[in-house]
Amino acid sequence: MSDQQLGINTVCVHTGEVTDTQFKGAVSPVFMAISYAFDGVDVKRYPRYFNTPNQEALNKKIAALEHTEDALIFSSGMAAISSALMAFLKKGDHVILQQVIYGGTYNFVAREFEKYGIEYSYTESSVIDDFKVLIRPHTKIIYIETPSNPLLGITDISAVVKLAKDHGIMTMIDNTFASPINQTPADFGIDVVIHSATKYMGGHSDISAGAVAASKIHIAEIWETSRNFGGNLSDFMVWMLERSLKTLNIRVKEQTKNALVIAKYLERHKDIDRVYYPGLASHPDHELAATQMKRFGAMMAFELKAGIDAMEFQNALQLIKPSMSLAGLESTTVSPAQTTHASLTEKERLERGITQGLIRFSTGIEEPKDLIADMEQAIRSTKKALV
Ligand SMILES: *Cc1c(COP(=O)(O)O)cnc(C)c1O
C-alpha cells in the first residue's frame, strides 16, 4: 500500500519505520552509529548528511504527513528555516516576507540577509495586493506564516502561490502553528513547508527539532546547504521525535477540539474584550481559514478587559502555566507585551495589535471544563485585587 492510501493515524504510527530484522522488535531501533561502512558511491551514511537509518525513517514520515516527496529533520526550527532560505539565496536576490513572522526568523533576516547582500521587504498586511506591489525582477522567494503569531492572522495560501507562480518565484511557509494535521500547504502548491518540530510535532515540551518538507528536487538543493551548515538532529532525538509523531493526530485533534470550546467560552465572557481564533465565525478570516485548514488549530489569543492585569491574571492561574513556548500537551499562556514584544515601544506594539492585556493561549489536552474553571477563578481573583 502506498502512503497516500493510508489513513492519517496509520501514517503517524507506521510510515517510514525501521524494521528490526535482528530481534523483530515492535518499534524502530535507534542507530546511534556516526560511522558506517563505505557502501559504494551512492550512500555515504553520516548524521550530518541527514541519512542515518533513523533520519531516513523520520524524513519519510514527515514527507507523508505534509504530502510532499521528501523531507529533512533539523536540530531546531531555526536550523530548518535558515538552511531552507540560504539554500536558494545568493547575493542580490530579493525575498518578500509576510509582515508578521516568528521573531527568530525576523532576527535571522535582519542580521544575516544584510551581511550577505540579500534584499528583503516586508508586506504591509497579509492581503495579496501587498505582496504583489513588492515583487521585483530578482525576487526569489515569498515567505509566509499562517496562522500567524500571536494574533492568528490568516494568509491566503492559494493566492500567494498563484502570484508567485505567475512570476517564477518560490514559496515557503512556516506551518508550525497549524501542524500537518490541520493544514497541508503542499496541497495548495507551496514549494517548501517548514516546521519548528519543537512545537506540535514534538508535542511534549521536551524536544527541540525542526523539519523541512518539499519535492525531491527542492530537498536535494536544501540538503546541499544543510550539510554545510550542520544543523542535524542527534539520532536519539530523531527516534524520540518518531515516537512523538505516532500520537500527532490524536494529540492535535484533541487540542483543536478543546480550543474551540475555550474560544467560545472566552468570546462570551464579559471580562474578555476580544478573542482571536480562526475557528470563530467572528474571526475576520474565518471563511478563508476554512478553505485551507482542515480544522482551526489549538492556538488563540484574547484580550483581557482594561484594568485586568495580564501578568497578575497569569500568576493567578493554577493549572495553566505561563510559558514562552507552545503546543505541548499542557495548556500554556504568554503575554506578548511583557515578553516576546517587550523590546518594542508601546506605539509599535499597538500598531501590531499587541495590547497590554493580550494573552496568547496554547490549548493542551486537559479537560476543557477544568481549563475554564481555572481561567474563571483567575479572572475573579485578579478583579478582586482591583477593588
Ligand atoms: C518556535 C517557532 C520557530 C522556531 O523554532 P525553534 O525550534 O525554537 O528553533 C519558528 N516558527 C514558529 C512559528 C515557531 O513557533
Side-chain angles (χ1 to χ4, degrees), residues 76-79 81 102 105 145 174 176-177 196 198-199 208-209 326:
S76 69
M78 283 314 302
I81 290 167
Y102 177 70
T105 312
E145 189 175 318
D174 183 332
T176 301
F177 265 40
S196 168
T198 311
K199 312 296 164 52
S208 162
L326 59 110

Side-chain angles (χ1 to χ4, degrees), residues 7 10-11 45 52 54 63 113-114 135 146 158 170 187 227 233 235 256 298 322 348 361 366 372 386:
T10 315
V11 170
R45 286 193 198 280
T52 61
N54 292 98
F113 277 18
E114 307 246 332
I135 292 176
T146 179
S158 297
M170 272 186 80
D187 294 342
R227 67 178 179 146
L233 186 62
D235 278 298
T256 300
E348 286 170 329
F361 183 68
E366 305 95 329
I372 288 172
L386 266 180

Side-chain angles (χ1 to χ4, degrees), residues 88-123:
F88 296 99
L89 294 171
K90 61 176 190 316
K91 188 177 169 194
D93 283 342
H94 175 245
V95 183
I96 298 172
L97 300 118
Q98 175 186 313
Q99 133 258 26
V100 185
I101 53 166
Y102 177 70
T105 312
Y106 183 88
N107 291 339
F108 172 76
V109 167
R111 186 178 159 81
E112 313 302 338
F113 277 18
E114 307 246 332
K115 279 202 307 215
Y116 296 103
I118 297 160
E119 295 167 19
Y120 62 93
S121 319
Y122 283 98
T123 61

